Amino acid sequence: MMNIKNLLSILLLLSLSPLRSYSVGREILNFYIEEPENNRYESYLELENKSGRELYKWKIGTGSAELNEKWNFTYDLERKFDKGSNSNGWENTFSIYKELEDVEWFGKKWYRDIGPYIKINTVKSKGEFANFSKENKYSMRYRVRTNSDFLLGNTYWGFDFFLSTIDSNNRDGVSLEGNLTGGMNLGYGFQNFFTIYNEYLDYANNNGTYLFRVENNFRWTYDLSQDFAFSIESELDSYNYFKNTDQDKSFKINVGPYLLYSKDINREFRVFAKVGVLGYNYEENKTEVFKSSDSSYYIKIKCGFEYIF
């Protein structure tokens, strides 16, 4: 577990650095909009049905807040239910970060922030094979970002660095990460977002394991009216493990059409929904002892609200 005294000492040192102003970013009908408000709260329900499995997600709250002129706070509280495996769990993240002075590297201006990051991930299954598992992560995170005029502009990319201790029900340990992330506007409604993970894992069944992971979201969006839009989206998530682990690889891809809805009730409050039908899902998993693959059509429904202040 992370030494709390050490964490508090780090926070005290970070509070001596200068800060910049803070604003809220919102994604409305698949497009990013930055607002001058300091706080954002969002909540939604999501249902996904694939391969005869019903997956429910309740996003109790996700958003950001300005704690004071020195620190900002982000949070994400999520309750998950898998009806097929008769299991439920939590996936919660919290971070406190401080914006550092911009720096000039390679002829470009880079945004930076630093602060503690916590991720709580637990799963509890019921019935004959009842089980409880956890993988809680306590980290110090350092981020750098820069903007680019590549293609139509609105392109960003940068790096995330994590130094973490892991609390696992199997074996506690540590992990190190250096991840490349970015997003770009390709024009004519096309967008692409990616993260390439590079992780060193030494906890649970990983004994000095290297994980190479790729997440990618490619989508095309077409405005139907002020409140409605249509999109076709593909989501890819690939894991590849190397050395000293019982894991090998996993691969998942979703491709499908969506109808999007967003309605401003007033300047601060909006409701939204996203419905996907006839989407295609493919998943493959491989470990030392088994290999499985599955493909099916899926339905995904999401609805909720957002409030900025």
Side-chain angles (χ1 to χ4, degrees):
M1 295 286 290
M2 177 175 283
N3 188 306
I4 301 300
K5 290 184 179 179
N6 289 345
L7 175 59
L8 293 176
S9 298
I10 293 171
L11 291 177
L12 179 61
L13 289 173
L14 292 176
S15 66
L16 301 177
S17 302
L19 290 167
R20 305 184 313 159
S21 60
Y22 178 67
S23 60
V24 163
R26 313 168 72 190
E27 186 174 85
I28 300 177
L29 297 177
N30 274 354
F31 291 97
Y32 178 83
I33 299 174
E34 192 166 284
E35 306 286 1
E37 282 78 9
N38 296 330
N39 306 284
R40 184 181 75 90
Y41 173 77
E42 179 181 311
S43 179
Y44 61 83
L45 296 171
E46 183 175 290
L47 163 65
E48 184 175 4
N49 190 313
K50 59 182 179 181
S51 300
R53 295 172 55 198
E54 292 184 15
L55 309 174
Y56 297 89
K57 180 190 297 184
W58 176 25
K59 190 72 72 172
I60 300 173
T62 182
S64 55
E66 184 179 41
L67 298 179
N68 55 41
E69 63 179 10
K70 295 185 176 181
W71 290 94
N72 301 310
F73 175 60
T74 64
Y75 57 92
D76 190 296
L77 286 77
E78 180 177 300
R79 188 75 164 130
K80 301 182 294 183
F81 303 90
D82 186 337
K83 191 174 180 180
S85 63
N86 196 21
S87 64
N88 61 75
W90 290 92
E91 186 170 329
N92 305 329
T93 59
F94 308 91
S95 69
I96 302 174
Y97 68 92
K98 183 174 187 178
E99 297 181 25
L100 306 175
E101 290 278 7
D102 290 345
V103 294
E104 194 83 17
W105 290 334
F106 309 108
K108 297 187 67 65
K109 183 175 288 188
W110 295 78
Y111 159 88
R112 303 179 299 150
D113 68 51
I114 192 169
Y117 174 96
I118 298 173
K119 183 174 183 177
I120 307 298
N121 196 340
T122 64
V123 177
K124 181 179 181 181
S125 59
K126 302 177 182 179
E128 182 180 356
F129 302 100
N131 186 37
F132 175 78
S133 64
K134 65 177 180 178
E135 189 177 295
N136 301 331
K137 181 178 180 180
Y138 305 88
S139 314
M140 285 302 298
R141 180 184 67 183
Y142 175 68
R143 298 188 294 185
V144 294
R145 296 285 189 275
T146 190
N147 294 320
S148 173
D149 294 329
F150 179 69
L151 297 174
L152 295 185
N154 298 322
T155 295
Y156 73 90
W157 61 282
F159 300 91
D160 298 340
F161 300 96
F162 293 84
L163 173 61
S164 311
T165 62
I166 309 296
D167 174 25
S168 167
N169 59 322
N170 188 338
R171 180 176 70 91
D172 295 349
V174 299
S175 72
L176 303 174
E177 295 180 50
N179 307 325
L180 170 65
T181 188
M184 59 191 71
N185 179 6
L186 304 173
Y188 302 101
F190 290 96
Q191 299 169 298
N192 193 71
F193 305 91
F194 68 90
T195 302
I196 299 174
Y197 299 83
N198 294 274
E199 301 185 41
Y200 170 82
L201 312 176
D202 192 1
Y203 67 89
N205 295 326
N206 306 301
N207 295 281
T209 301
Y210 170 62
L211 169 61
F212 178 74
R213 178 186 176 193
V214 177
E215 272 189 308
N216 196 82
N217 182 295
F218 179 76
R219 64 196 188 193
W220 171 74
T221 305
Y222 180 77
D223 291 333
L224 299 174
S225 68
Q226 181 176 345
D227 299 330
F228 287 92
F230 172 79
S231 70
I232 297 177
E233 304 183 20
S234 68
E235 298 173 290
L236 178 148
D237 197 357
S238 172
Y239 290 74
N240 289 273
Y241 295 85
F242 302 91
K243 191 179 178 182
N244 302 330
T245 182
D246 57 359
Q247 302 293 316
D248 189 350
K249 63 180 180 179
S250 69
F251 178 84
K252 179 174 72 174
I253 186 168
N254 295 327
V255 181
Y258 293 88
L259 179 66
L260 289 70
Y261 171 75
S262 178
K263 178 67 175 180
D264 290 332
I265 306 303
N266 54 40
R267 174 65 181 80
E268 296 81 20
F269 185 79
R270 76 178 179 104
V271 295
F272 61 86
K274 184 174 183 178
V275 179
V277 296
L278 297 179
Y280 175 77
N281 168 259
Y282 176 79
E283 296 186 30
E284 180 180 305
N285 293 280
K286 183 180 179 182
T287 70
E288 286 185 345
V289 296
F290 79 95
K291 179 179 179 180
S292 66
S293 62
D294 181 70
S295 63
S296 66
Y297 292 103
Y298 71 88
I299 297 173
K300 184 181 289 188
I301 301 173
K302 172 180 173 180
C303 58
F305 67 90
E306 180 188 55
Y307 179 65
I308 61 171
F309 55 101

